[in-house]
Amino acid sequence: ITWPVTRLSVCLPVCPQNKEKVRLKEREKEAREREARYSNGHLFTSLTVSSTTLCSSCNRSITAKEALSCPACNVTIHNRCRDSLASCAKMKQRVRTVLLPLITCLSERPSSAIYPSDSLRQSLLGSRRVRSGLSLAKSVSTNNIAGMSEDSVGLRRILSQSTESLNFRSRTLSLESLTDDGEWWWSPLLEELQEEGSCVQADSWSLVVEPNFLQTLHKDLIKKQDVIYELIQTEFHHVRTLRIMEGVYRRGMLEEVMMEAAVVHTIFPCLDPLLEWHSNFLSELLNRRREGLVEGSANNFTVRSIGDLLLRQFSGQCADDMKKLYSEFCSRHPKAVKLYKEVLTRDRKLQPFIRRACRGPLLRRHGVQECILLVTQRITKYPVIIQRILDNTKGSEEEAQALRQALLLLKELISSVDQEVLELDRTRRLQEIQARLDPRAQADVRGGGVFRGGELLRRRLLYEGALLWKVQGSRMKDVQVLLMSDILVFLQEKDQKFTFASLDKSPVVSLNNLIVRDIANQERGMYLISASTPPEMYELHASSKDGRRTWMSRIQQTALSCPSRDEFPLIETEDKALLRRLKADIQQKDREVLELLQERVTLFSDLVEATGGGGGDEEGGVELTSSSSSSSCRNLFRADTPHAPQAEPLLTSSITEGESSSSSSSS
């Protein structure tokens, strides 16, 4: 009788290994389900509640479909708040109570209770001694041991006892890791930040004050107070980000990972002055909040006037400091992120530190890259908030005028920061192009002379893009065009290297007396007519009509401000080139020395604070303080010469004389 193949497959017995795989999958599924219900020691279950029930974590109302409840500690929270909730105290106590005697008993249990003799233990384990108990439990199955005599009953019992003991040890370790509080050296800082942020935990000012007090205020005033509260709240969050960068990541990289100070300074540039600037601003905002408190109440407050504070913060010396700090930080942002990624990839000490730091819910949302990005974005948030405060300011023309002026100064400040960052990015891009330029590349220019790659660094890059250059025979060649401060340069890319375009005309065009015209009946084409003798005409085509319009506009604007060849020669002599390179090297060294001095001053200030401070009153000391700096951040310089005590009055009188002369000249 011939049975069909399908009938045979049904009649085949089930392999015991397949049964074992099915059981393992079911156990893993059950473990995942238990883990989904288990968070921070809580055993959460879904619960249907009324709309008036508040979340134990964020104090907001809970909808019926996202409520979770822990029967051990009787808390009810949102589903999204489960990670931010503190550990379950009752469950932790219960687990420790159950596990402690068992762990003690297990640690005191001799190995002979598992393996009666050393010879039998060696014969059973053999080369598998180094394996974990969990892998041994999975690989050894007493049910699959066949062909055993009655003498093998003891062996079966010993294997069962050993695997159960190893499984129990692994379960005990996992439960101990769940009950670990995760206390690290940065935990006090996070607790301090959480305590300081208790006054800005609510989502809006309307939820902070009492309902009876809220009903006595006008609608416009309520909206204004909500926006002012948002300014205070976001400023606190920004200061918190800076303190995390300074107190967790930078300190950990220096003290725990032992990274070089120069590398850490590159990842976190000008962090200390940024923290000082924003801390002072936050202190001023909190003072206004305290001044607006209603007598006899700790929550009811109104900030009636804030325009003068914003005007003072975004003008004068504060504005200059802010411009300098954000220009430096934002311009170094790409380099900082790139360097951090490289160090994180190769430094094996940094990787576990970052993993440990990012376990908590706060630091999980504030990684190193996220913190750097948040700092660069902060300056762009102020105009939106100030504009909303201005829109809700009614009945006080003086306050509105101060807000308008502060908003105008802030926009100018942001524009200048953007311009400086753009200039630094263009300089960096020009250096990248020059580095990719073939060292042997050179181009002949009209009037004699050879143009080499070093000539690019004498100039500023203003614009860059790809164009099509039409040469003889109606052929189009792809070229990379650089619009410099006085010339146009045409490059071609080959094998990831740049070289000067070797076509029928010179790849270097002077902007002096250059004529730019569009091509009739061609919306993407334009002519460039040089003022050389005889004149030369270049036909270029952009990718779109708007692209041609942009190129023509930028070339014409640059040609109007192009320096004369007497002031700025097209090709400099060898002596001038050597002098320029030496000056550039000296400037680079000066910048490096300045960074090292800034780091040294910071370390010395920390040393003075750690030893009790007050070194400026001792003999032989000179104390330099800035009116914009706090007394706790003074920079102290020591000297042991007999003339050192005379330095402080001389410097003070010089500064006073300089300020008086500058004020008289400006008036």
Side-chain angles (χ1 to χ4, degrees):
I1 302 174
T2 303
W3 293 94
V5 177
T6 55
R7 182 66 178 271
L8 283 174
S9 61
V10 173
C11 295
L12 287 175
V14 180
C15 181
Q17 296 182 354
N18 294 334
K19 287 185 178 180
E20 186 69 20
K21 290 181 180 179
V22 172
R23 283 197 296 269
L24 287 175
K25 288 183 179 180
E26 292 178 353
R27 292 174 185 173
E28 292 176 356
K29 183 178 179 181
E30 293 176 357
R32 286 195 299 267
E33 292 177 354
R34 287 195 302 269
E35 185 179 0
R37 296 193 302 268
Y38 193 90
S39 178
N40 292 336
H42 296 276
L43 294 174
F44 288 121
T45 57
S46 300
L47 187 66
T48 303
V49 296
S50 62
S51 59
T52 58
T53 305
L54 297 180
C55 175
S56 301
S57 178
C58 64
N59 293 327
R60 299 185 191 173
S61 61
I62 304 178
T63 57
K65 59 183 179 180
E66 59 177 4
L68 295 177
S69 178
C70 176
C73 58
N74 295 325
V75 296
T76 305
I77 62 169
H78 293 98
N79 188 20
R80 62 176 181 270
C81 298
R82 60 191 304 170
D83 292 333
S84 60
L85 190 64
S87 301
C88 182
K90 292 187 178 181
M91 180 59 66
K92 185 187 302 183
Q93 182 179 4
R94 185 184 306 171
V95 171
R96 288 177 177 173
T97 304
V98 173
L99 288 182
L100 186 57
L102 293 178
I103 294 172
T104 305
C105 178
L106 182 63
S107 61
E108 295 176 353
R109 184 179 182 181
S111 59
S112 60
I114 301 177
Y115 303 104
S117 65
D118 294 338
S119 59
L120 181 58
R121 178 171 64 250
Q122 293 176 1
S123 63
L124 288 177
L125 296 180
S127 61
R128 297 190 181 188
R129 182 179 300 173
V130 297
R131 295 191 181 183
S132 64
L134 190 60
S135 61
L136 179 63
K138 290 183 179 180
S139 60
V140 179
S141 177
T142 58
N143 294 328
N144 293 332
I145 300 178
M148 286 189 177
S149 62
E150 56 271 17
D151 295 333
S152 64
V153 177
L155 177 62
R156 185 190 300 265
R157 185 177 62 255
I158 293 171
L159 279 174
S160 176
Q161 291 176 355
S162 64
T163 53
E164 287 177 1
S165 301
L166 291 171
N167 278 327
F168 177 76
R169 289 190 179 188
S170 64
R171 290 196 300 270
T172 304
L173 291 175
S174 63
L175 286 173
E176 286 180 346
S177 64
L178 286 173
T179 60
D180 185 13
D181 292 333
E183 292 292 335
W184 305 101
W185 52 263
W186 57 80
S187 298
L189 173 62
L190 301 183
E191 293 175 359
E192 181 182 353
L193 292 175
Q194 185 176 2
E195 183 179 355
E196 293 176 355
S198 59
C199 61
V200 291
Q201 283 185 349
D203 291 341
S204 66
W205 174 84
S206 303
L207 299 177
V208 175
V209 299
E210 299 175 359
N212 296 334
F213 176 75
L214 190 65
Q215 294 176 359
T216 61
L217 302 178
H218 193 268
K219 181 179 179 180
D220 293 332
L221 182 58
I222 294 175
K223 291 182 179 180
K224 180 180 178 180
Q225 297 305 311
D226 281 335
V227 183
I228 294 176
Y229 177 83
E230 181 182 349
L231 173 62
I232 300 174
Q233 186 184 49
T234 54
E235 190 66 20
F236 171 80
H237 291 164
H238 186 63
V239 172
R240 182 181 64 184
T241 300
L242 293 172
R243 292 183 64 182
I244 289 173
M245 294 169 68
E246 184 268 339
V248 177
Y249 295 120
R250 190 179 69 175
R251 179 185 170 189
M253 290 178 183
L254 290 173
E255 299 179 4
E256 183 173 333
V257 186
M258 303 297 291
M259 292 172 56
E260 297 181 2
V263 176
V264 179
H265 181 70
T266 304
I267 297 176
F268 304 110
C270 58
L271 182 57
D272 290 328
L274 268 174
L275 179 57
E276 181 182 358
W277 193 95
H278 284 281
S279 297
N280 293 335
F281 184 34
L282 178 61
S283 178
E284 294 286 343
L285 293 173
L286 293 178
N287 287 336
R288 289 296 173 95
R289 179 189 180 278
R290 283 191 292 268
E291 293 172 359
L293 281 173
V294 177
E295 186 177 356
S297 176
N299 297 325
N300 298 335
F301 71 93
T302 55
V303 180
R304 298 286 179 175
S305 175
I306 200 174
D308 58 333
L309 172 59
L310 297 176
L311 184 60
R312 183 171 65 253
Q313 196 70 24
F314 299 119
S315 63
Q317 185 63 37
C318 288
D320 295 339
D321 294 341
M322 188 179 189
K323 175 183 175 182
K324 178 183 177 181
L325 294 174
Y326 273 93
S327 298
E328 181 179 357
F329 192 94
C330 296
S331 62
R332 295 187 180 187
H333 171 221
K335 182 179 180 181
V337 174
K338 181 180 179 181
L339 179 60
Y340 169 72
K341 291 180 178 179
E342 293 176 355
V343 175
L344 185 63
T345 303
R346 67 172 183 264
D347 196 328
R348 295 185 178 180
K349 292 184 179 179
L350 181 61
Q351 297 171 1
F353 165 69
I354 295 297
R355 284 197 296 267
R356 290 200 316 272
C358 294
R359 284 178 183 174
L362 178 59
L363 296 183
R364 191 182 301 126
R365 300 189 301 267
H366 290 77
V368 174
Q369 299 183 55
E370 289 80 4
C371 287
I372 296 175
L373 181 61
L374 287 173
V375 174
T376 59
Q377 294 175 345
R378 178 56 184 169
I379 192 174
T380 62
K381 308 296 183 182
Y382 290 119
V384 180
I385 297 178
I386 296 177
Q387 182 64 53
R388 290 169 56 197
I389 296 176
L390 178 60
D391 294 340
N392 293 286
T393 300
K394 309 293 182 182
S396 178
E397 184 60 29
E398 182 180 358
E399 173 76 1
Q401 182 64 26
L403 289 171
R404 279 192 289 266
Q405 190 173 356
L407 183 60
L408 180 62
L409 291 174
L410 182 59
K411 289 181 178 180
E412 293 176 356
L413 175 64
I414 295 175
S415 177
S416 60
V417 170
D418 289 341
Q419 186 62 32
E420 289 196 17
V421 172
L422 181 61
E423 290 294 334
L424 292 172
D425 289 342
R426 289 173 177 173
T427 302
R428 190 181 299 109
R429 173 57 180 166
L430 182 59
Q431 293 173 352
E432 293 176 359
I433 293 174
Q434 201 274 339
R436 291 179 57 189
L437 190 64
D438 193 333
R440 299 168 297 177
Q442 60 183 25
D444 297 330
V445 296
R446 296 298 297 266
V450 178
F451 190 93
R452 294 183 174 85
E455 296 288 339
L456 296 176
L457 299 181
R458 294 175 55 208
R459 298 163 165 87
R460 291 188 303 114
L461 177 63
L462 302 179
Y463 195 64
E464 175 197 7
L467 293 175
L468 293 175
W469 184 359
K470 187 175 182 180
V471 296
Q472 293 179 354
S474 300
R475 293 178 301 165
M476 293 286 190
K477 295 293 183 179
D478 293 324
V479 290
Q480 189 74 12
V481 184
L482 307 180
L483 176 59
M484 313 293 288
S485 53
D486 64 321
I487 57 174
L488 273 171
V489 181
F490 300 99
L491 302 176
Q492 285 184 309
E493 186 176 5
K494 183 179 180 181
D495 297 332
Q496 297 183 351
K497 285 284 187 179
F498 283 119
T499 184
F500 294 107
S502 301
L503 301 177
D504 56 346
K505 299 181 181 65
S506 173
V508 180
V509 183
S510 175
L511 296 181
N512 293 104
N513 302 321
L514 183 69
I515 301 174
V516 184
R517 294 286 185 270
D518 56 355
I519 302 177
N521 300 325
Q522 293 190 22
E523 61 180 15
R524 296 182 296 177
M526 58 181 171
Y527 287 123
L528 303 180
I529 305 173
S530 67
S532 59
T533 304
E536 288 185 330
M537 185 171 66
Y538 297 77
E539 183 177 345
L540 302 174
H541 292 262
S543 59
S544 63
K545 183 178 180 180
D546 294 336
R548 183 194 69 172
R549 186 185 303 111
T550 301
W551 272 105
M552 292 181 63
S553 174
R554 289 182 179 270
I555 293 173
Q556 290 170 348
Q557 291 176 2
T558 307
L560 293 176
S561 59
C562 178
S564 63
R565 287 296 165 224
D566 296 334
E567 300 175 358
F568 194 86
L570 181 63
I571 301 175
E572 63 180 359
T573 61
E574 293 184 1
D575 295 338
K576 290 185 177 180
L578 178 60
L579 182 61
R580 177 181 56 82
R581 288 194 296 269
L582 290 175
K583 288 182 178 180
D585 293 340
I586 292 174
Q587 292 176 355
Q588 177 64 25
K589 295 299 180 182
D590 288 342
R591 286 191 290 268
E592 294 177 1
V593 170
L594 178 60
E595 291 182 359
L596 292 175
L597 288 175
Q598 289 175 346
E599 294 177 12
R600 188 175 186 275
V601 168
T602 302
L603 293 175
F604 190 72
S605 301
D606 295 340
L607 177 62
V608 171
E609 291 184 3
T611 55
D617 298 333
E618 300 176 7
E619 185 179 358
V622 181
E623 183 176 307
L624 299 179
T625 62
S626 173
S627 58
S628 61
S629 301
S630 61
S631 59
S632 61
C633 299
R634 295 179 177 178
N635 298 327
L636 305 176
F637 300 88
R638 307 296 303 170
D640 296 330
T641 63
H643 304 287
Q646 303 175 4
E648 185 173 359
L650 287 175
L651 288 172
T652 305
S653 60
S654 300
I655 293 173
T656 306
E657 187 176 345
E659 291 177 350
S660 60
S661 61
S662 62
S663 61
S664 61
S665 61
S666 61
S667 59

